[in-house]
Amino acid sequence: MPLDAILGNVIPLERETVTQPLSELDDDRLMVMIGAEDREAFGVLAAKHLDRCVAIAYRTLGNRTDAEDVAHDAMLRVWRHAPKWKTGGAQFTTWLYRVVVNLCIDRTRRVKPTAGEVPEDLSDDAPDPEVTLGSNQTAEQVRTAVMELPDRQKEALVLCFFEGMSNADAADVLEVSVGALEQLLVRARRSLRVTLAGLMD
């Protein structure tokens, strides 16, 4: 996604002196620089995290265009929030993925995905909680079943199983306790077992 498409005609402030490559700086330092309207620092941060933002949104929404729009909006919020960023506080990725999830929630409240919009690669190399995919038809049924889960269960499943987050990190993103997250996963697995019972015989 081109940087100009996100930022438009922002006039950057003079950059602080940095002695090491921007790619070697941690997210906190990059956020401080972005807070001073450093477009290059923003480009580095976006390059690090944009693909995963798109992946989370795509697996949650089931539509590539919507997922890219959500990732675009999330990155715009990074730019706008950067001047208020407090180093040493919340982990940047936790905050960013929470933004992505909340944007997905807002979007799904407006438009529910149809079965035809189920993402093609929802079941990738990440471990599937219940089913080993044996055919395209089976994969389609699994993807449809996941997309039909209640939003919070689907978000927990996407973060933990498809994005490989720990329960603690996923709980932080969803702003729930680890116990509450585990209950979401239990309910999601139970729903999938019922929906996909015929495939698991």
Side-chain angles (χ1 to χ4, degrees):
M1 183 180 300
L3 186 59
D4 288 342
I6 298 175
L7 298 184
N9 297 318
V10 173
I11 300 175
L13 301 177
E14 184 176 352
R15 175 193 285 183
E16 65 170 297
T17 302
V18 177
T19 58
Q20 63 189 116
L22 294 182
S23 59
E24 295 179 5
L25 299 180
D26 63 24
D27 293 340
D28 269 354
R29 183 70 186 281
L30 289 170
M31 282 294 280
V32 170
M33 296 175 69
I34 295 166
E37 299 186 0
D38 189 317
R39 292 169 67 101
E40 189 175 350
F42 178 78
V44 170
L45 192 71
K48 286 174 64 176
H49 299 292
L50 186 61
D51 286 348
R52 195 168 191 190
C53 289
V54 172
I56 291 171
Y58 184 44
R59 290 177 174 129
T60 303
L61 298 172
N63 180 284
R64 175 68 64 182
T65 300
D66 287 346
E68 290 175 351
D69 286 347
V70 162
H72 177 283
D73 290 346
M75 288 300 153
L76 191 56
R77 292 195 183 191
V78 167
W79 179 267
R80 290 174 176 165
H81 186 77
K84 299 177 285 187
W85 183 256
K86 295 180 180 179
T87 59
Q91 188 176 1
F92 172 76
T93 50
T94 299
W95 175 83
L96 176 61
Y97 300 151
R98 184 181 301 145
V99 168
V100 172
V101 167
N102 287 338
L103 288 169
C104 288
I105 291 170
D106 291 344
R107 193 167 288 257
T108 55
R109 284 175 180 161
R110 294 197 301 267
V111 180
K112 284 289 184 182
T114 64
E117 293 176 324
V118 174
E120 296 175 0
D121 62 352
L122 184 60
S123 296
D124 57 9
D125 293 334
D128 187 281
E130 297 296 334
V131 181
T132 300
L133 303 181
S135 68
N136 289 338
Q137 182 178 9
T138 300
E140 182 68 19
Q141 290 172 297
V142 172
R143 289 192 294 265
T144 300
V146 171
M147 291 302 296
E148 290 176 351
L149 289 171
D151 288 341
R152 295 298 271 179
Q153 293 178 27
K154 179 170 56 179
E155 290 153 8
L157 201 69
V158 165
L159 294 176
C160 291
F161 289 100
F162 297 113
E163 292 304 316
M165 287 188 189
S166 69
N167 286 3
D169 287 345
D172 282 345
V173 170
L174 296 179
E175 298 183 290
V176 298
S177 67
V178 172
L181 176 93
E182 290 171 350
Q183 284 302 308
L184 287 171
L185 293 173
V186 167
R187 289 197 290 272
R189 287 194 292 263
R190 186 181 300 136
S191 295
L192 290 178
R193 275 197 295 269
V194 171
T195 304
L196 303 173
L199 299 179
M200 299 169 64
D201 292 339

